[in-house]
Amino acid sequence: METCHLQFGQSVSKLYLATAILMLYEKREIDLDAKISTYLSAEVVKGIANAEEATVRMLMNHTSGIAEYNDKPKYVTYLLQHPLQAFSSYDYLDYIRNEPASFAPGEKYAYTNTNYLLLALLVDQVTGDHKKFIQEEILSPLFLSDTYYHNPGAMEMSRLVNTYWDRYSNGEIENCSDMHRINVKSLIGDDGIIATPSDFITFLEKLLSHKILKASTMEQMLDFVPTDADQENGYGLGIRKEYHDGMAELGHTGGGIGSACILGFLPHNGTYFFIGTNLGVSISPRVAGKMEDVIDDIYDILRQ
Protein backbone atom coordinates (compact mmCIF):
# COMPACT_ATOMS: atom_id res chain seq x y z
CA MET A 1 0.00 0.00 0.00
CA GLU A 2 1.09 3.54 -0.76
CA THR A 3 0.01 6.87 0.70
CA CYS A 4 -2.02 7.57 -2.44
CA HIS A 5 -4.31 4.63 -1.70
CA LEU A 6 -7.74 5.12 -0.18
CA GLN A 7 -8.10 3.48 3.22
CA PHE A 8 -11.20 2.42 5.13
CA GLY A 9 -11.80 4.66 8.15
CA GLN A 10 -14.38 2.30 9.71
CA SER A 11 -15.36 3.76 13.12
CA VAL A 12 -13.28 6.89 12.53
CA SER A 13 -16.49 7.89 10.71
CA LYS A 14 -17.97 8.59 14.15
CA LEU A 15 -15.62 11.55 14.52
CA TYR A 16 -16.91 13.09 11.28
CA LEU A 17 -20.56 12.59 12.22
CA ALA A 18 -19.96 14.02 15.70
CA THR A 19 -18.38 17.08 14.10
CA ALA A 20 -21.43 17.51 11.87
CA ILE A 21 -23.73 17.31 14.89
CA LEU A 22 -21.69 19.90 16.76
CA MET A 23 -21.84 22.20 13.74
CA LEU A 24 -25.64 21.88 13.88
CA TYR A 25 -25.46 22.56 17.61
CA GLU A 26 -23.62 25.81 16.86
CA LYS A 27 -26.38 26.69 14.39
CA ARG A 28 -28.89 25.96 17.19
CA GLU A 29 -30.52 23.28 15.08
CA ILE A 30 -29.70 20.50 17.55
CA ASP A 31 -29.88 20.60 21.35
CA LEU A 32 -27.31 18.16 22.71
CA ASP A 33 -29.34 17.59 25.86
CA ALA A 34 -32.66 17.05 24.10
CA LYS A 35 -34.07 13.54 23.98
CA ILE A 36 -33.40 11.85 20.65
CA SER A 37 -37.12 11.17 20.30
CA THR A 38 -37.44 14.94 19.83
CA TYR A 39 -35.87 14.51 16.39
CA LEU A 40 -36.42 10.87 15.43
CA SER A 41 -39.74 9.57 14.19
CA ALA A 42 -41.82 7.08 16.15
CA GLU A 43 -41.13 4.57 13.39
CA VAL A 44 -37.39 4.75 14.04
CA VAL A 45 -37.46 4.50 17.85
CA LYS A 46 -40.32 2.03 18.15
CA GLY A 47 -39.36 -0.86 20.40
CA ILE A 48 -35.84 0.48 21.13
CA ALA A 49 -35.32 0.56 24.89
CA ASN A 50 -34.03 3.91 26.25
CA ALA A 51 -34.79 5.72 22.98
CA GLU A 52 -37.45 7.82 24.70
CA GLU A 53 -35.07 8.88 27.50
CA ALA A 54 -31.58 9.05 25.99
CA THR A 55 -30.26 12.42 24.85
CA VAL A 56 -28.19 13.37 21.82
CA ARG A 57 -25.16 13.83 24.08
CA MET A 58 -25.62 10.36 25.57
CA LEU A 59 -25.53 8.79 22.12
CA MET A 60 -22.45 10.79 21.22
CA ASN A 61 -20.45 9.74 24.30
CA HIS A 62 -21.87 6.19 24.45
CA THR A 63 -23.74 6.52 27.74
CA SER A 64 -27.24 5.93 26.30
CA GLY A 65 -27.54 2.30 27.35
CA ILE A 66 -29.17 1.49 24.00
CA ALA A 67 -28.41 -2.07 22.92
CA GLU A 68 -25.69 -2.91 20.38
CA TYR A 69 -26.93 -4.36 17.08
CA ASN A 70 -23.70 -5.84 15.77
CA ASP A 71 -23.08 -8.25 18.60
CA LYS A 72 -26.46 -9.93 18.29
CA PRO A 73 -26.01 -13.62 17.39
CA LYS A 74 -28.83 -13.48 14.84
CA TYR A 75 -27.14 -10.59 13.02
CA VAL A 76 -23.63 -12.08 13.10
CA THR A 77 -24.90 -15.48 11.94
CA TYR A 78 -26.92 -13.98 9.10
CA LEU A 79 -24.00 -11.78 8.00
CA LEU A 80 -21.62 -14.74 7.84
CA GLN A 81 -24.14 -16.89 5.99
CA HIS A 82 -24.96 -14.10 3.52
CA PRO A 83 -21.62 -12.29 3.03
CA LEU A 84 -22.82 -10.25 0.04
CA GLN A 85 -26.09 -9.15 1.67
CA ALA A 86 -26.72 -5.40 1.81
CA PHE A 87 -28.52 -4.16 4.93
CA SER A 88 -30.67 -1.10 5.51
CA SER A 89 -30.51 1.01 8.67
CA TYR A 90 -33.88 -0.39 9.67
CA ASP A 91 -32.54 -3.93 9.24
CA TYR A 92 -29.86 -3.20 11.83
CA LEU A 93 -32.33 -1.58 14.23
CA ASP A 94 -34.70 -4.52 13.91
CA TYR A 95 -32.10 -6.69 15.64
CA ILE A 96 -32.50 -4.67 18.87
CA ARG A 97 -36.19 -3.83 18.81
CA ASN A 98 -37.93 -5.13 21.92
CA GLU A 99 -34.55 -6.07 23.39
CA PRO A 100 -33.70 -4.82 26.92
CA ALA A 101 -31.45 -1.82 27.37
CA SER A 102 -27.87 -2.44 28.48
CA PHE A 103 -28.25 -0.01 31.40
CA ALA A 104 -30.14 3.14 32.39
CA PRO A 105 -29.45 6.26 30.30
CA GLY A 106 -26.40 8.12 31.60
CA GLU A 107 -25.48 5.40 34.08
CA LYS A 108 -22.14 4.47 32.53
CA TYR A 109 -20.14 4.14 29.30
CA ALA A 110 -20.40 1.33 26.76
CA TYR A 111 -19.11 1.75 23.21
CA THR A 112 -22.11 1.05 20.96
CA ASN A 113 -22.38 1.35 17.19
CA THR A 114 -26.16 1.66 17.39
CA ASN A 115 -25.70 5.10 18.96
CA TYR A 116 -24.10 6.50 15.82
CA LEU A 117 -26.52 4.77 13.46
CA LEU A 118 -29.33 6.57 15.31
CA LEU A 119 -27.39 9.84 15.23
CA ALA A 120 -27.03 9.60 11.44
CA LEU A 121 -30.79 9.12 11.13
CA LEU A 122 -31.26 12.06 13.49
CA VAL A 123 -29.12 14.33 11.30
CA ASP A 124 -31.15 13.12 8.31
CA GLN A 125 -34.26 14.40 10.08
CA VAL A 126 -32.67 17.78 10.82
CA THR A 127 -30.89 18.41 7.50
CA GLY A 128 -32.71 16.15 5.05
CA ASP A 129 -29.52 14.22 4.24
CA HIS A 130 -26.63 13.73 6.67
CA LYS A 131 -24.36 12.49 3.87
CA LYS A 132 -24.88 15.66 1.87
CA PHE A 133 -24.37 17.79 4.97
CA ILE A 134 -21.01 16.15 5.72
CA GLN A 135 -19.91 16.65 2.12
CA GLU A 136 -21.02 20.28 1.84
CA GLU A 137 -20.18 21.50 5.35
CA ILE A 138 -17.02 19.53 6.16
CA LEU A 139 -15.33 17.79 3.25
CA SER A 140 -15.71 20.45 0.54
CA PRO A 141 -14.80 23.52 2.69
CA LEU A 142 -11.69 21.74 3.97
CA PHE A 143 -10.73 20.68 0.40
CA LEU A 144 -10.73 17.03 1.42
CA SER A 145 -11.03 15.87 -2.17
CA ASP A 146 -9.65 12.43 -1.34
CA THR A 147 -12.31 11.73 1.29
CA TYR A 148 -15.55 9.93 0.44
CA TYR A 149 -18.55 9.27 2.64
CA HIS A 150 -21.14 7.15 0.83
CA ASN A 151 -20.07 8.76 -2.42
CA PRO A 152 -21.51 6.95 -5.46
CA GLY A 153 -18.78 5.04 -7.24
CA ALA A 154 -16.14 5.50 -4.54
CA MET A 155 -16.11 1.81 -3.67
CA GLU A 156 -15.17 1.00 -7.26
CA MET A 157 -12.19 3.37 -7.38
CA SER A 158 -8.92 1.66 -8.30
CA ARG A 159 -7.07 3.44 -5.50
CA LEU A 160 -9.23 1.80 -2.81
CA VAL A 161 -7.29 -0.99 -1.10
CA ASN A 162 -8.31 -4.61 -1.26
CA THR A 163 -9.17 -6.09 2.13
CA TYR A 164 -8.31 -9.42 3.71
CA TRP A 165 -9.63 -11.65 6.46
CA ASP A 166 -8.55 -14.67 8.45
CA ARG A 167 -12.07 -16.09 8.46
CA TYR A 168 -11.35 -19.16 10.57
CA SER A 169 -8.49 -17.74 12.69
CA ASN A 170 -6.24 -20.44 11.31
CA GLY A 171 -3.64 -18.23 9.64
CA GLU A 172 -5.21 -18.56 6.18
CA ILE A 173 -5.81 -15.14 4.58
CA GLU A 174 -8.68 -14.60 2.13
CA ASN A 175 -9.49 -11.61 -0.05
CA CYS A 176 -12.82 -10.41 1.38
CA SER A 177 -13.03 -7.15 -0.59
CA ASP A 178 -16.51 -7.76 -2.01
CA MET A 179 -18.00 -8.61 1.38
CA HIS A 180 -16.17 -5.77 3.11
CA ARG A 181 -17.26 -3.12 0.61
CA ILE A 182 -20.90 -4.20 0.68
CA ASN A 183 -20.80 -4.10 4.47
CA VAL A 184 -19.31 -0.58 4.56
CA LYS A 185 -21.85 0.61 1.98
CA SER A 186 -24.63 -0.52 4.32
CA LEU A 187 -23.35 1.29 7.42
CA ILE A 188 -24.10 4.92 8.19
CA GLY A 189 -22.87 7.05 11.06
CA ASP A 190 -20.81 4.37 12.75
CA ASP A 191 -18.85 3.61 9.55
CA GLY A 192 -18.63 4.65 5.89
CA ILE A 193 -15.63 7.00 5.49
CA ILE A 194 -12.79 6.19 3.08
CA ALA A 195 -9.87 8.56 2.49
CA THR A 196 -6.14 8.85 1.92
CA PRO A 197 -3.96 8.99 5.04
CA SER A 198 -3.15 12.66 4.43
CA ASP A 199 -6.84 13.57 4.21
CA PHE A 200 -7.57 11.79 7.47
CA ILE A 201 -4.73 13.67 9.14
CA THR A 202 -5.77 17.02 7.66
CA PHE A 203 -9.29 16.60 9.04
CA LEU A 204 -8.07 15.82 12.56
CA GLU A 205 -5.56 18.68 12.50
CA LYS A 206 -8.21 21.17 11.39
CA LEU A 207 -10.60 19.90 14.05
CA LEU A 208 -8.20 20.02 16.98
CA SER A 209 -6.78 23.42 15.96
CA HIS A 210 -10.29 24.97 16.11
CA LYS A 211 -10.56 25.46 12.34
CA ILE A 212 -13.99 23.77 12.22
CA LEU A 213 -15.69 24.28 15.58
CA LYS A 214 -15.61 27.08 18.13
CA ALA A 215 -13.32 26.72 21.14
CA SER A 216 -16.31 26.50 23.46
CA THR A 217 -17.79 23.70 21.36
CA MET A 218 -14.47 21.86 21.36
CA GLU A 219 -14.53 21.98 25.16
CA GLN A 220 -17.73 19.97 25.05
CA MET A 221 -16.34 17.57 22.46
CA LEU A 222 -13.30 16.99 24.68
CA ASP A 223 -15.34 16.48 27.86
CA PHE A 224 -14.48 12.82 28.37
CA VAL A 225 -16.45 10.19 30.28
CA PRO A 226 -14.27 7.45 31.79
CA THR A 227 -13.99 4.30 29.72
CA ASP A 228 -12.05 2.20 32.21
CA ALA A 229 -11.94 1.55 35.93
CA ASP A 230 -8.97 3.84 36.64
CA GLN A 231 -10.82 6.73 34.90
CA GLU A 232 -7.71 7.63 32.92
CA ASN A 233 -8.90 6.89 29.39
CA GLY A 234 -12.10 8.49 28.14
CA TYR A 235 -14.57 9.10 25.34
CA GLY A 236 -15.88 12.54 24.48
CA LEU A 237 -18.33 13.48 21.75
CA GLY A 238 -17.08 11.22 18.97
CA ILE A 239 -13.44 11.28 20.06
CA ARG A 240 -11.25 9.12 22.28
CA LYS A 241 -8.55 9.99 24.80
CA GLU A 242 -6.15 7.18 25.62
CA TYR A 243 -2.86 7.01 27.47
CA HIS A 244 0.06 4.90 26.32
CA ASP A 245 3.15 4.78 28.53
CA GLY A 246 1.85 7.89 30.28
CA MET A 247 1.44 9.88 27.06
CA ALA A 248 -1.99 11.08 25.95
CA GLU A 249 -3.40 10.38 22.49
CA LEU A 250 -6.51 11.96 20.97
CA GLY A 251 -8.39 10.57 17.99
CA HIS A 252 -10.29 7.45 17.04
CA THR A 253 -9.72 3.88 15.96
CA GLY A 254 -11.61 1.80 13.43
CA GLY A 255 -11.96 -1.88 12.65
CA GLY A 256 -14.06 -4.03 10.37
CA ILE A 257 -14.26 -7.29 8.49
CA GLY A 258 -11.21 -6.57 6.35
CA SER A 259 -9.41 -3.50 7.66
CA ALA A 260 -8.45 -1.47 10.70
CA CYS A 261 -6.90 1.93 11.42
CA ILE A 262 -5.80 4.46 14.01
CA LEU A 263 -6.15 8.21 13.52
CA GLY A 264 -4.42 10.07 16.29
CA PHE A 265 -2.75 13.15 17.72
CA LEU A 266 -0.01 13.18 20.35
CA PRO A 267 -0.25 16.50 22.25
CA HIS A 268 3.14 16.18 23.94
CA ASN A 269 5.03 16.50 20.63
CA GLY A 270 2.35 17.80 18.24
CA THR A 271 2.37 14.70 16.03
CA TYR A 272 -0.62 13.70 13.90
CA PHE A 273 -0.63 10.23 12.40
CA PHE A 274 -2.69 7.64 10.55
CA ILE A 275 -1.96 3.91 10.66
CA GLY A 276 -3.95 1.66 8.37
CA THR A 277 -3.99 -2.05 7.63
CA ASN A 278 -6.07 -3.90 5.06
CA LEU A 279 -6.41 -6.91 7.34
CA GLY A 280 -9.51 -7.38 9.49
CA VAL A 281 -8.68 -7.51 13.18
CA SER A 282 -12.17 -7.55 14.71
CA ILE A 283 -11.76 -11.18 15.74
CA SER A 284 -8.03 -10.89 16.67
CA PRO A 285 -6.65 -13.33 14.10
CA ARG A 286 -3.37 -15.03 14.87
CA VAL A 287 -1.70 -13.31 11.95
CA ALA A 288 -2.39 -9.92 13.54
CA GLY A 289 0.34 -10.55 16.11
CA LYS A 290 3.15 -9.57 13.74
CA MET A 291 1.22 -6.51 12.65
CA GLU A 292 0.77 -5.43 16.27
CA ASP A 293 4.54 -5.69 16.78
CA VAL A 294 5.07 -3.35 13.81
CA ILE A 295 2.51 -0.87 15.18
CA ASP A 296 4.28 -0.90 18.56
CA ASP A 297 7.55 -0.04 16.79
CA ILE A 298 5.82 2.80 14.93
CA TYR A 299 4.42 4.14 18.21
CA ASP A 300 7.90 4.12 19.75
CA ILE A 301 9.07 6.40 16.94
CA LEU A 302 6.02 8.68 17.01
CA ARG A 303 6.23 9.25 20.77
CA GLN A 304 9.82 10.47 20.72
Side-chain angles (χ1 to χ4, degrees), residues 89-146:
S89 298
Y90 285 90
D91 290 334
Y92 292 125
L93 294 177
D94 285 344
Y95 284 103
I96 64 166
R97 294 193 197 279
N98 303 314
E99 292 283 329
S102 300
F103 49 84
E107 178 183 335
K108 60 182 180 179
Y109 164 90
Y111 186 85
T112 308
N113 289 286
T114 312
N115 288 329
Y116 275 75
L117 166 57
L118 289 169
L119 287 169
L121 295 174
L122 187 152
V123 178
D124 277 342
Q125 288 293 111
V126 174
T127 67
D129 186 343
H130 81 283
K131 303 168 188 174
K132 182 179 179 182
F133 184 85
I134 288 173
Q135 179 64 51
E136 294 182 351
E137 301 296 327
I138 299 176
L139 306 184
S140 293
L142 295 178
F143 302 103
L144 298 175
S145 58
D146 274 330

Side-chain angles (χ1 to χ4, degrees), residues 145-182:
S145 58
D146 274 330
T147 302
Y148 304 91
Y149 179 66
H150 290 279
N151 186 297
M155 289 293 175
E156 284 68 52
M157 296 180 70
S158 61
R159 290 190 295 134
L160 181 60
V161 297
N162 285 325
T163 48
Y164 300 86
W165 186 27
D166 182 3
R167 182 173 16 168
Y168 302 109
S169 293
N170 61 0
E172 298 293 328
I173 301 300
E174 300 176 60
N175 188 319
C176 66
S177 297
D178 289 341
M179 178 183 183
H180 185 81
R181 295 181 188 197
I182 289 172

Side-chain angles (χ1 to χ4, degrees), residues 2-291:
E2 303 291 341
T3 55
C4 62
H5 286 130
L6 295 166
Q7 303 283 343
F8 289 93
Q10 308 288 168
S11 284
V12 171
S13 304
K14 293 180 175 70
L15 184 55
Y16 290 75
L17 181 63
T19 301
I21 291 169
L22 292 173
M23 294 174 76
L24 291 166
Y25 161 75
E26 291 185 345
K27 296 173 182 286
R28 299 187 177 183
E29 294 182 32
I30 287 181
D31 180 351
L32 299 181
D33 296 307
K35 292 179 172 56
I36 62 171
S37 56
T38 303
Y39 304 100
L40 292 172
S41 68
E43 180 185 11
V44 171
V45 302
K46 180 181 179 182
I48 298 179
N50 284 8
E52 296 290 346
E53 297 84 25
T55 66
V56 176
R57 190 186 302 273
M58 290 175 185
L59 265 65
M60 294 181 75
N61 64 15
H62 297 296
T63 61
S64 73
I66 291 174
E68 174 66 286
Y69 73 82
N70 77 356
D71 64 2
K72 297 300 179 188
K74 287 185 179 180
Y75 165 65
V76 176
T77 300
Y78 190 87
L79 176 64
L80 295 178
Q81 292 177 343
H82 303 82
L84 302 183
Q85 173 70 47
F87 292 83
S88 72
S89 298
Y90 285 90
D91 290 334
Y92 292 125
L93 294 177
D94 285 344
Y95 284 103
I96 64 166
R97 294 193 197 279
N98 303 314
E99 292 283 329
S102 300
F103 49 84
E107 178 183 335
K108 60 182 180 179
Y109 164 90
Y111 186 85
T112 308
N113 289 286
T114 312
N115 288 329
Y116 275 75
L117 166 57
L118 289 169
L119 287 169
L121 295 174
L122 187 152
V123 178
D124 277 342
Q125 288 293 111
V126 174
T127 67
D129 186 343
H130 81 283
K131 303 168 188 174
K132 182 179 179 182
F133 184 85
I134 288 173
Q135 179 64 51
E136 294 182 351
E137 301 296 327
I138 299 176
L139 306 184
S140 293
L142 295 178
F143 302 103
L144 298 175
S145 58
D146 274 330
T147 302
Y148 304 91
Y149 179 66
H150 290 279
N151 186 297
M155 289 293 175
E156 284 68 52
M157 296 180 70
S158 61
R159 290 190 295 134
L160 181 60
V161 297
N162 285 325
T163 48
Y164 300 86
W165 186 27
D166 182 3
R167 182 173 16 168
Y168 302 109
S169 293
N170 61 0
E172 298 293 328
I173 301 300
E174 300 176 60
N175 188 319
C176 66
S177 297
D178 289 341
M179 178 183 183
H180 185 81
R181 295 181 188 197
I182 289 172
N183 182 250
V184 172
K185 283 182 180 180
S186 297
L187 299 168
I188 62 169
D190 58 328
D191 204 326
I193 286 278
I194 60 175
T196 57
S198 60
D199 259 28
F200 278 123
I201 289 171
T202 296
F203 169 71
L204 185 61
E205 189 277 329
K206 296 292 185 184
L207 178 66
L208 294 181
S209 60
H210 302 171
K211 301 290 177 52
I212 304 175
L213 300 170
K214 298 175 182 177
S216 59
T217 305
M218 287 301 301
E219 288 181 9
Q220 297 201 58
M221 186 177 223
L222 300 177
D223 182 16
F224 298 99
V225 297
T227 60
D228 51 22
D230 61 15
Q231 299 193 347
E232 183 177 49
N233 299 323
Y235 199 97
L237 303 184
I239 190 169
R240 295 179 183 272
K241 177 183 69 173
E242 295 183 346
Y243 284 87
H244 304 276
D245 298 328
M247 298 179 186
E249 176 188 323
L250 298 176
H252 214 292
T253 58
I257 295 168
S259 69
C261 69
I262 305 169
L263 175 61
F265 171 62
L266 303 175
H268 75 278
N269 63 10
T271 299
Y272 290 88
F273 66 92
F274 177 86
I275 300 173
T277 175
N278 57 346
L279 171 69
V281 298
S282 296
I283 57 173
S284 300
R286 293 183 341 200
V287 294
K290 295 180 181 179
M291 180 186 67

